[in-house]
Amino acid sequence: MESNNIYLKMYRRKSSDILRLIINNPESNNEMITLAIDILSERNEADENLLNIKKNILEEERKTKGINATEKYKTFWPRYFSLFIDGIFIGIVGYLIKFLLEFSLDVFITFGTVLSTFLPHIYYIVLHGKFGQTFGKMLMDVKIFDKSEKKEITYKQALMRDIVPLFSSIVLYVIFVSGINKNITLFNYFLLFLGVLMSIWSILDIITMLFSDKRRALHDLIAGTVVLRLKK
C-alpha cells in the first residue's frame, strides 16, 4: 500500500463500519474502495466478499490499462456490430415468446404480450446494469463504465441510457391498451410524429458519438457513462 496515498492516513483513522460504508457507497471510486478493503485486510476484517470486490476492480482496470488513451475510445464499429448481434438474440427470444403464447391461458398471454413488447428494454437494462455488457458487447470486447472510467455502472444508469426509447414504447403500449389505435387516421399521424422524433433522437445519438472525444453518445451523456474497449 502506497504511503503517499492521499486517503491513507485519513482512512486508517476511520472505524471499520465507516470503511464498509465507503465500500458500499455508489459515489466511491475504485481507489477509495480498494484502499478501504486494504485497511480492513490489515485489521483481519476483510471477508471473502470484500476480497472478491477488490479482485474484480483490479481485473477491470487490467483489461483497460493495456489499451492506449486513443484506442480504448474507438468503439463505434464494435458497438454497431454488437447491436446487430443483440438484435438477432432479441429476435429469437421474441419469436419463442410469441410461439409459446399460442398455447397459453389468457393471463399468460397478457403477461407475454407485455414481456415481448418491452423485451429489448428489459434485455439492455438488466444486462447493462448487471454486467455493463450485453451478449453482443461481450463478443465485441467493449463494456460500459461510469464516466469516471473507474466504476461499473448502476441499474439507474442502465435505465437512463435506455430512457428515451423505453418512453416511446410505453406511449405506444398505452395507445394500444386504451384503444386509440382504432382511430386509424389519428393513429397514423401519431406514428408518423413519434417516428420523426425517434429518428431525430437516433441522429443526435450518432452525431454526439462521432464528434465526442470519448465517443460518448447522447444516451451516455444523459446516463453519465462511457463505452470502452477491453484488452484482449
Side-chain angles (χ1 to χ4, degrees):
M1 195 182 303
E2 298 180 8
S3 59
N4 61 348
N5 190 295
I6 60 173
Y7 297 111
L8 184 57
K9 293 182 179 179
M10 178 175 63
Y11 277 30
R12 275 186 170 147
R13 291 195 295 265
K14 295 183 180 296
S15 68
S16 297
D17 288 337
I18 296 297
L19 292 176
R20 290 189 177 88
L21 289 175
I22 292 172
I23 293 169
N24 294 316
N25 186 348
E27 301 300 320
S28 298
N29 60 40
N30 285 350
E31 183 182 13
M32 296 165 65
I33 293 172
T34 54
L35 182 57
I37 294 173
D38 284 340
I39 295 174
L40 288 174
S41 296
E42 288 180 350
R43 300 173 184 176
N44 296 318
E45 297 179 16
D47 57 24
E48 184 177 354
N49 181 53
L50 292 180
L51 295 177
N52 284 333
I53 290 174
K54 178 183 176 181
K55 179 182 177 182
N56 291 335
I57 289 173
L58 296 177
E59 178 63 18
E60 294 299 337
E61 291 180 346
R62 181 194 68 79
K63 287 180 179 179
T64 57
K65 188 176 292 184
I67 303 176
N68 64 49
T70 302
E71 291 295 322
K72 69 179 180 179
Y73 300 122
K74 291 183 178 179
T75 59
F76 178 82
W77 289 113
R79 291 165 78 170
Y80 175 83
F81 287 116
S82 71
L83 283 174
F84 180 74
I85 295 169
D86 291 332
I88 293 175
F89 180 81
I90 293 171
I92 292 173
V93 175
Y95 176 80
L96 291 175
I97 291 174
K98 290 180 180 179
F99 176 77
L100 293 174
L101 289 181
E102 296 180 7
F103 309 97
S104 302
L105 299 175
D106 289 345
V107 62
F108 293 111
I109 290 176
T110 301
F111 173 76
T113 302
V114 174
L115 178 61
S116 60
T117 301
F118 296 101
L119 178 62
H121 309 297
I122 296 171
Y123 174 81
Y124 284 111
I125 293 170
V126 171
L127 288 182
H128 283 160
K130 178 66 176 178
F131 305 108
Q133 296 173 294
T134 57
F135 296 128
K137 287 184 174 67
M138 292 176 188
L139 290 174
M140 298 308 300
D141 290 314
V142 292
K143 183 172 181 177
I144 305 171
F145 289 88
D146 177 79
K147 64 181 180 179
S148 67
E149 301 181 20
K150 295 181 178 180
K151 295 190 298 182
E152 296 190 352
I153 68 170
T154 63
Y155 280 104
K156 179 181 178 180
Q157 288 175 300
L159 173 63
M160 293 306 297
R161 283 175 57 87
D162 208 49
I163 194 66
V164 172
L166 174 60
F167 179 75
S168 68
S169 294
I170 292 174
V171 170
L172 280 176
Y173 184 76
V174 170
I175 287 174
F176 276 99
V177 171
S178 64
I180 297 177
N181 59 305
K182 293 180 181 179
N183 185 329
I184 302 300
T185 302
L186 179 62
F187 181 61
N188 286 338
Y189 276 120
F190 181 81
L191 280 183
L192 177 62
F193 176 71
L194 189 61
V196 170
L197 286 181
M198 291 308 299
S199 296
I200 293 173
W201 165 259
S202 298
I203 292 171
L204 291 175
D205 221 23
I206 294 172
I207 290 174
T208 52
M209 179 168 56
L210 290 176
F211 291 95
S212 167
D213 291 338
K214 295 185 177 183
R215 295 295 181 263
R216 296 177 68 200
L218 186 56
H219 59 260
D220 286 308
L221 298 175
I222 292 173
T225 59
V226 61
V227 181
L228 302 178
R229 294 177 61 182
L230 302 178
K231 180 181 179 182
K232 294 184 179 180

